[in-house]
Amino acid sequence: MVKHLEPQTKFKYPKVFIVSSGRSGTTLLASMLNAGEDLYIPYESDFIARAYPYFADKCSLSLHDYKLMTQFFQITAKQGGWGMPEDYLYDFLCQRSPQTFSEVNATICEAFHKREGTEDAEWGIKAPVLIASLDRINKVSPTSTIVHIVRDGRDVYLSYRKVHETSDIKFGPKGILANTLYWIDGLRRVEDFMKHHQHVPVFELRYENLLAEPDQQLRQLCEFIGIPYKSEMHEKFNASDRNQKVAPDQFKKSIHKKLHGGLDAKNTNKYLSQMSPYELFVFEVITAPYLAKYGYDLQYSWARSILFSPLRMFIYQLARLFNDWRYAKRDRRMCRLAYEALENP
């Protein structure tokens, strides 16, 4: 692990960012770390990625910029901007007067923790979608550690399928091909980032190992991050007061309901009984090298054949182009919504 030198600044930056390909246990992991009370990770937010193209290069920020970024945060952070009223966040930005986008992100975190009375804790941010914005995270918050939690992509697909079939609020990729491309592209983005940013501390852990060996996995993670390990993280996380704030209210009785029942070590390998042979074939032919890399068994061992390599590389490049277009479109949409909210309060 490479230690960062903390910059000489009056602004306190997040200590950790938790990312994944979605439906992989980021909320579970955040609630476990919250239960230790030395690190506090609030609701999800991808503000740091969505607002980056519009503010990252600015060296001086105006009151109008603060108003616009307040709207941006209200739109891109769960619970309407982590539950902070617009006036409160805007006034806090004016008071602290951050002059760079990096300082704005630190100030928003400070505003939340000041309101919660948790200024003494280390700060963290979790949002699966940030897996596509690791470069942005590193540029804006260069002292932060990145935690990448990986779950068997076949079970990830089943989880997203359940969201689309049973949840009132639909999100995430739909269909076996879209899920396959989304999962593989996320892993490849982390792989590329680690290859080109070897100085950045990145911790990878498997969701399945966290369920089976929570004590060992959390000890290793806490040591890597630099916070104390406490057994309450996995033994009593579901009873933690902070855990009640991790999942948005509308999801507490649906897609995040397992959080309130403790760990379920059996919540793995669902694909063995719930995926059709066709779905398994499609997923494994495309993702075989990465299933193997992260220690997952294949049902079709021949799917690893190098004969599929040209096809896989073409599909990987296509997935990257498509996802880059999709994220750029999201950036523009969030910016438009922020401007509309500012013009029509």
Side-chain angles (χ1 to χ4, degrees):
M1 171 183 172
V2 179
K3 292 285 188 180
H4 282 310
L5 293 177
E6 294 290 337
Q8 298 299 313
T9 176
K10 65 178 181 178
F11 297 97
K12 179 179 176 181
Y13 296 89
K15 192 172 186 65
V16 63
F17 284 81
I18 301 178
V19 304
S20 78
S21 291
R23 308 305 298 147
S24 299
T26 56
T27 303
L28 172 65
L29 181 59
S31 65
M32 286 179 161
L33 294 174
N34 282 347
E37 298 192 350
D38 293 288
L39 177 71
Y40 190 13
I41 303 170
Y43 308 101
E44 288 186 12
S45 171
D46 63 345
F47 169 82
I48 195 171
R50 304 286 75 83
Y52 181 92
Y54 307 101
F55 299 103
D57 293 333
K58 288 196 171 188
C59 298
S60 179
L61 298 172
S62 67
L63 296 181
H64 181 269
D65 289 327
Y66 293 160
K67 283 186 176 294
L68 183 57
M69 283 189 280
T70 297
Q71 295 297 335
F72 239 115
F73 190 74
Q74 293 287 321
I75 294 168
T76 56
K78 295 291 176 65
Q79 297 296 96
W82 291 350
M84 291 186 287
E86 293 179 22
D87 290 345
Y88 169 79
L89 181 55
Y90 172 70
D91 290 343
F92 203 94
L93 287 169
C94 292
Q95 176 188 350
R96 294 289 277 147
S97 189
Q99 292 303 301
T100 67
F101 185 58
S102 181
E103 292 176 353
V104 165
N105 278 273
T107 302
I108 289 174
C109 288
E110 182 184 358
F112 172 79
H113 290 282
K114 183 82 172 178
R115 193 163 183 261
E116 293 290 306
T118 54
E119 303 101 311
D120 293 337
E122 296 289 353
W123 304 342
I125 293 175
K126 80 98 176 173
V129 71
L130 291 179
I131 197 171
S133 303
L134 300 179
D135 287 327
R136 294 178 178 184
I137 289 174
N138 183 239
K139 290 176 181 177
V140 175
S141 190
T143 62
S144 299
T145 295
I146 294 171
V147 177
H148 175 216
I149 182 166
V150 184
R151 185 183 185 186
D152 190 319
R154 294 161 294 190
D155 280 349
V156 170
Y157 159 64
L158 291 173
S159 185
Y160 273 125
R161 189 175 74 180
K162 185 175 181 181
V163 167
H164 286 287
E165 291 175 349
T166 65
S167 177
D168 293 334
I169 301 177
K170 318 293 184 184
F171 62 89
K174 187 176 182 180
I176 183 62
L177 185 58
N179 272 271
T180 303
L181 297 181
Y182 182 68
W183 186 77
I184 197 67
D185 187 50
L187 299 191
R188 285 175 55 79
R189 287 177 188 269
V190 175
E191 183 179 64
D192 291 345
F193 180 81
M194 294 177 68
K195 184 185 301 182
H196 295 101
H197 298 80
Q198 297 183 18
H199 64 287
V200 179
V202 179
F203 188 94
E204 294 189 290
L205 76 159
R206 296 196 334 162
Y207 171 79
E208 294 81 6
N209 291 351
L210 181 62
L211 296 186
E213 307 166 337
D215 180 271
Q216 178 181 338
Q217 296 298 314
L218 288 171
R219 283 181 185 275
Q220 293 175 359
L221 175 59
C222 289
E223 180 180 359
F224 191 88
I225 296 175
I227 61 173
Y229 161 79
K230 297 176 182 178
S231 61
E232 289 85 352
M233 290 178 173
H234 58 90
E235 293 176 351
K236 300 179 180 179
F237 75 92
N238 54 316
S240 168
D241 289 339
R242 288 183 183 175
N243 181 42
Q244 308 307 313
K245 298 183 178 182
V246 171
D249 294 337
Q250 66 266 39
F251 293 147
K252 286 182 178 179
K253 295 183 179 180
S254 56
I255 61 175
H256 289 315
K257 65 181 180 180
K258 285 184 178 294
L259 285 177
H260 303 286
L263 288 178
D264 180 7
K266 296 181 180 179
N267 192 36
T268 62
N269 296 327
K270 293 183 176 181
Y271 70 89
L272 292 173
S273 60
Q274 297 182 28
M275 283 182 76
S276 70
Y278 165 74
E279 291 170 325
L280 277 173
F281 169 77
V282 170
F283 197 94
E284 293 191 359
V285 165
I286 295 175
T287 66
Y290 288 88
L291 286 170
K293 174 182 177 179
Y294 287 99
Y296 296 116
D297 295 330
L298 276 73
Q299 298 307 296
Y300 299 106
S301 58
W302 46 265
R304 296 183 63 182
S305 172
I306 60 173
L307 295 176
F308 294 112
S309 295
L311 174 63
R312 277 195 287 260
M313 291 310 300
F314 173 75
I315 291 175
Y316 294 166
Q317 293 171 8
L318 191 64
R320 181 61 57 85
L321 289 172
F322 174 75
N323 284 322
D324 282 345
W325 170 82
R326 189 164 60 89
Y327 287 123
K329 182 179 179 182
R330 180 181 293 186
D331 290 345
R332 293 191 296 272
R333 181 168 65 88
M334 293 301 177
C335 185
R336 185 184 71 252
L337 291 174
Y339 270 108
E340 290 175 355
L342 191 59
E343 294 171 358
N344 302 288

